[in-house]
Amino acid sequence: MSYPPPQYFADHGTAGAVYRPAGTEPDLTIGVKSQVGYLATGATTAGQFGLYRWDMAAIPNGPGAHFHRTISESFFILEGTVSLYDGERWLDSAPGDFLYVPPGGVHAFSNNSGAPASMLVLFTPGAPREAYFEELAEIVASGRQLTQQEWTELYARHDQYDAL
């Protein structure tokens, strides 16, 4: 394995860092179950990655088993206990635990612990996941009930496929 091709060609570095203080309010709330911080989106990283802080209330929540065709997804537990599905079994994961899921890898997550939990979610490359998260938030906020066909179409628009 070698380094990728250069992307920057000037003789000297430049100030281009983006800082987000710890106290920044979440960018999105999905119902009463989840708050999402857009730490680094695909748009802000030129498509290299997307990094999100996912804070979960003490309510069971999370997507069912699914996979992505175009992106990998990684989870790093910050606080609490998060149940992570690795395609074969559910793992009760604690702070410091990490799960990498390659494209095509079946996975899921849920907070079944009865206490708040928080994790980092990393997508590579940086797909526009914000549109998916925001569409979910709108569906929850409106109380709209989607048919199975509508869920399938929503997931397909956002590179998410039911594992069943």
Side-chain angles (χ1 to χ4, degrees):
M1 173 144 229
S2 62
Y3 281 97
Q7 298 180 36
Y8 183 77
F9 299 97
D11 291 335
H12 301 286
T14 183
V18 177
Y19 177 70
R20 182 182 169 105
T24 302
E25 291 293 318
D27 294 286
L28 181 67
T29 298
I30 303 175
V32 297
K33 295 181 179 182
S34 300
Q35 293 185 323
V36 184
Y38 297 171
L39 304 180
T41 66
T44 61
T45 66
Q48 294 185 37
F49 68 93
L51 181 64
Y52 306 86
R53 181 179 175 123
W54 204 272
D55 296 316
M56 297 173 280
I59 302 169
N61 64 82
H66 64 280
F67 66 95
H68 308 286
R69 296 181 191 279
T70 65
I71 53 178
S72 69
E73 189 169 359
S74 297
F75 303 89
F76 182 81
I77 309 307
L78 297 170
E79 298 173 20
T81 301
V82 178
S83 297
L84 297 174
Y85 184 64
D86 69 358
E88 295 181 336
R89 64 192 179 284
W90 284 94
L91 307 161
D92 285 335
S93 303
D97 288 345
F98 175 79
L99 177 69
Y100 166 73
V101 183
V106 174
H107 62 286
F109 67 86
S110 184
N111 179 8
N112 301 319
S113 69
S118 183
M119 65 184 174
L120 294 176
V121 182
L122 173 71
F123 295 97
T124 57
R129 295 304 283 168
E130 309 80 41
Y132 172 63
F133 303 151
E134 291 164 10
E135 196 165 348
L136 286 179
E138 183 275 320
I139 291 166
V140 171
S142 71
R144 190 168 48 127
Q145 298 295 314
L146 273 62
T147 66
Q148 186 59 45
Q149 180 64 31
E150 289 172 319
W151 279 115
T152 299
E153 291 169 3
L154 168 71
Y155 294 152
R157 280 196 308 277
H158 298 287
D159 186 35
Q160 185 161 314
Y161 303 92
D162 195 353
L164 301 177

